[in-house]
Amino acid sequence: MAQTIKTGKNSPLKASCQQCSLSNLCLPLAVSDDDLDRLEDVIQQGQIYSRGDYVFEQSTPFRSCYAVRSGAVKTSIVTENGDEQVTGFFLPGELIGLDSMSSSSYACSAKALERTSVCELPVEHLDDLTHKLPGLQHHFFHLMSQEIQNSHQLALMLSKRTAEERIASLLLSLSGRFARRKLSPTQFNLPMARNDIANFLGLAVETVSRVFTRFQNQGLIRARGREVELLDLDALQNISQEDDQPACGRKGC
Amino acid sequence: MAQTIKTGKNSPLKASCQQCSLSNLCLPLAVSDDDLDRLEDVIQQGQIYSRGDYVFEQSTPFRSCYAVRSGAVKTSIVTENGDEQVTGFFLPGELIGLDSMSSSSYACSAKALERTSVCELPVEHLDDLTHKLPGLQHHFFHLMSQEIQNSHQLALMLSKRTAEERIASLLLSLSGRFARRKLSPTQFNLPMARNDIANFLGLAVETVSRVFTRFQNQGLIRARGREVELLDLDALQNISQEDDQPACGRKGC
DNA sequence: CGTGAGTTTGAGTAGCCTCAACCTGAGTGG
DNA sequence: CCACTCAGGTTGAGGCTACTCAAACTCACG
């Protein structure tokens, strides 16, 4: 039974992790085919959200993590006094909800930025599963530590980088993540509004807009609304990790 | 064997988690006495670091997580071009290294801010252990998600808060963590230098210094070097979560 | 008693925010 | 089909927060 390769005909909602082009992103490579079958038993696939829908909302009971299949999601936290911080953008193959693992309620809200489909991983089952599949536990530790590192990188950006550096970084990050999915690393549509970018990077919308036009005037990018084309990746790279110290490059200066 | 209550005489390096006053902080409450014994078999206790020593350094092979027993530790990440971001301060009962779980090398460096003793949890053993003790796995998920949330809170501070708000928040955070250990929440020594505070909060040292004196002049705190006394917790609380919008308080404004 | 790291204070500056106006394009309804 | 609307985006002017640079102070330490 475990070895039967399901074609997806008889149980359309399951058995497609194996065929999913994203499985090498969201699932542990270490997991065997056998294990995949078990995983598929608990994963609910194909839920669809329209633009603006919440996948889950902060402070509601925590039930599941979600893997993005298509579309894009933004997560954000809101404080008592109402200000919001976008904590991440999630593209296909990426997992949402790790910051709430083992909490009783969601630590952030997740909102679909466009028409989005996700796979749901109910945590109740996950607890058993990770117990049975050591590889999966390992994978979750990995994903969560990755998430911590991402967040630390964000903190570094927010505290040390200029507006231009932050935006160059974001563009390159998106570029890399598109590339990973075999899409063009230089030409893509931003799934999020300027507002979201500004909030995420700790800037005012106006600043984001100004930097975009500045980059465009310098011939680094071509941007029309959410369409962007990265014309000079090297230059963006240089900007994104600009050195404070002028010239030199040595430590002894 | 598992039930023998060790007094600490015959194996001084083990068997003291049960007596450790911090165990309710760093260890899962869910873990039973039996399990504690197993934990103690793999935990190496009592390593001492002097001020300035590294508990571990970024990019070196990841081997262990560490629980702070006494003293204080700061963690920081360093980029290629040399700038540093302090990512956290860790007091007794808190766990370091979670951001490196399941990586091959440490994602940050951990430096003792004063004479510090730690307990080491080698990860190789942890993998088996979490398998045997479901509660422990749960606890790690919890700690890691907590770490993600902390980091998101930091990001929010860095992107949305003024210098005064950030420093008030930090003071209150420390206050709360001292209180948790039954120490005075209003009178304590800062384990870190102004420089570390500045870096952590994304400010210049001078700004930190200025805010401290401003708070002092307003009668909110008393500060002499690293000694601080919080004189008006309520006021600090108000400052730390100040509302941007003037007056009103309603959403409809 | 010099030395140097850590801290404080002051003066001037710059990057980004705020406020305000205008533009653009998609959706709506007459 | 065109005017209207509204959200999202762009552009400009001015101001403020926190930075930079510079200097003085404190204190632990050899």
Side-chain angles (χ1 to χ4, degrees), chain A residues 80-139:
Chain A
E80 317 77 63
N81 46 45
D83 46 23
E84 185 178 356
Q85 170 69 36
V86 172
T87 53
F89 300 113
F90 294 80
L91 303 182
E94 300 173 348
L95 223 61
I96 333 173
L98 293 173
D99 53 348
S100 311
M101 283 288 289
S102 235
S103 303
S104 57
S105 55
Y106 285 106
C108 65
S109 297
K111 198 182 213 174
L113 292 168
E114 53 192 58
R115 193 155 193 80
T116 293
S117 105
V118 301
C119 301
E120 177 175 0
L121 286 97
V123 270
E124 27 170 4
H125 298 138
L126 222 152
D127 260 12
D128 314 339
L129 260 189
T130 51
H131 206 67
K132 287 181 201 133
L133 317 178
L136 189 61
Q137 188 207 52
H138 216 80
H139 185 60

Side-chain angles (χ1 to χ4, degrees), chain B residues 95-153:
Chain B
L95 224 60
I96 332 172
L98 293 172
D99 53 348
S100 311
M101 284 288 290
S102 238
S103 302
S104 57
S105 54
Y106 285 107
C108 66
S109 297
K111 199 183 212 173
L113 291 169
E114 51 191 59
R115 193 155 194 78
T116 293
S117 105
V118 302
C119 302
E120 178 175 359
L121 286 99
V123 270
E124 28 170 4
H125 299 138
L126 222 152
D127 261 12
D128 313 340
L129 259 190
T130 51
H131 204 68
K132 288 180 202 134
L133 317 179
L136 190 61
Q137 187 206 52
H138 217 80
H139 185 60
F140 262 84
F141 280 153
H142 184 70
L143 289 175
M144 291 180 79
S145 72
Q146 203 73 44
E147 190 77 9
I148 300 174
Q149 291 178 36
N150 284 345
S151 191
H152 285 166
Q153 288 297 332

Side-chain angles (χ1 to χ4, degrees), chain B residues 21-238:
Chain B
S21 64
L22 299 167
S23 67
N24 58 333
L25 294 178
C26 82
L27 291 172
L29 295 167
V31 167
S32 66
D33 280 356
D34 261 36
D35 296 342
L36 259 187
D37 281 349
R38 297 207 220 175
L39 246 186
E40 287 165 356
D41 285 342
V42 306
I43 292 180
Q44 315 225 341
Q45 292 172 336
Q47 297 171 48
I48 306 280
Y49 296 88
S50 303
R51 178 180 189 179
D53 285 353
Y54 283 101
V55 180
F56 53 78
E57 283 189 75
Q58 188 172 330
S59 302
T60 60
F62 173 61
R63 303 217 183 293
S64 303
C65 290
Y66 295 83
V68 179
R69 263 165 76 88
S70 68
V73 173
K74 79 165 177 188
T75 55
S76 61
I77 53 177
V78 180
T79 62
E80 317 78 61
N81 46 46
D83 46 24
E84 186 179 355
Q85 169 71 37
V86 173
T87 53
F89 299 112
F90 294 80
L91 302 183
E94 300 172 349
L95 224 60
I96 332 172
L98 293 172
D99 53 348
S100 311
M101 284 288 290
S102 238
S103 302
S104 57
S105 54
Y106 285 107
C108 66
S109 297
K111 199 183 212 173
L113 291 169
E114 51 191 59
R115 193 155 194 78
T116 293
S117 105
V118 302
C119 302
E120 178 175 359
L121 286 99
V123 270
E124 28 170 4
H125 299 138
L126 222 152
D127 261 12
D128 313 340
L129 259 190
T130 51
H131 204 68
K132 288 180 202 134
L133 317 179
L136 190 61
Q137 187 206 52
H138 217 80
H139 185 60
F140 262 84
F141 280 153
H142 184 70
L143 289 175
M144 291 180 79
S145 72
Q146 203 73 44
E147 190 77 9
I148 300 174
Q149 291 178 36
N150 284 345
S151 191
H152 285 166
Q153 288 297 332
L154 177 59
L156 187 138
M157 278 230 290
L158 294 173
S159 91
K160 304 277 185 291
R161 305 299 199 198
T162 66
E164 303 204 345
E165 289 164 5
R166 296 180 205 188
I167 289 175
S169 288
L170 178 61
L171 288 175
L172 288 172
S173 162
L174 291 172
S175 166
R177 286 147 82 191
F178 280 117
R180 219 171 46 161
R181 284 158 49 211
K182 319 284 184 209
L183 302 175
S184 167
T186 56
Q187 204 162 18
F188 47 84
N189 282 342
L190 297 173
M192 72 295 277
R194 296 283 187 278
N195 215 331
D196 296 324
I197 296 180
N199 186 306
F200 178 64
L201 297 178
L203 300 169
V205 199
E206 296 94 325
T207 305
V208 173
S209 188
R210 275 185 251 271
V211 172
F212 266 88
T213 56
R214 214 177 302 158
F215 280 175
Q216 182 147 242
N217 292 338
Q218 295 169 348
L220 305 182
I221 66 171
R222 217 180 43 74
R224 245 188 82 74
R226 297 195 176 185
E227 281 176 56
V228 294
E229 186 177 355
L230 308 187
L231 299 173
D232 191 343
L233 287 174
D234 287 343
L236 288 171
Q237 197 77 46
N238 284 335

Side-chain angles (χ1 to χ4, degrees), chain A residues 8-73:
Chain A
K9 270 184 169 178
N10 39 5
S11 59
L13 282 181
K14 299 179 185 175
S16 53
C17 283
Q18 284 160 339
Q19 283 115 39
C20 178
S21 64
L22 298 167
S23 67
N24 58 332
L25 294 179
C26 81
L27 291 172
L29 296 166
V31 167
S32 67
D33 280 358
D34 260 35
D35 297 341
L36 259 187
D37 281 349
R38 296 208 219 174
L39 245 186
E40 287 165 354
D41 286 342
V42 306
I43 292 179
Q44 315 225 340
Q45 292 172 337
Q47 297 171 48
I48 305 279
Y49 296 89
S50 303
R51 178 181 189 175
D53 285 354
Y54 282 101
V55 180
F56 52 79
E57 283 190 75
Q58 188 171 328
S59 305
T60 61
F62 173 62
R63 302 218 184 292
S64 304
C65 290
Y66 295 83
V68 179
R69 265 164 76 87
S70 68
V73 172

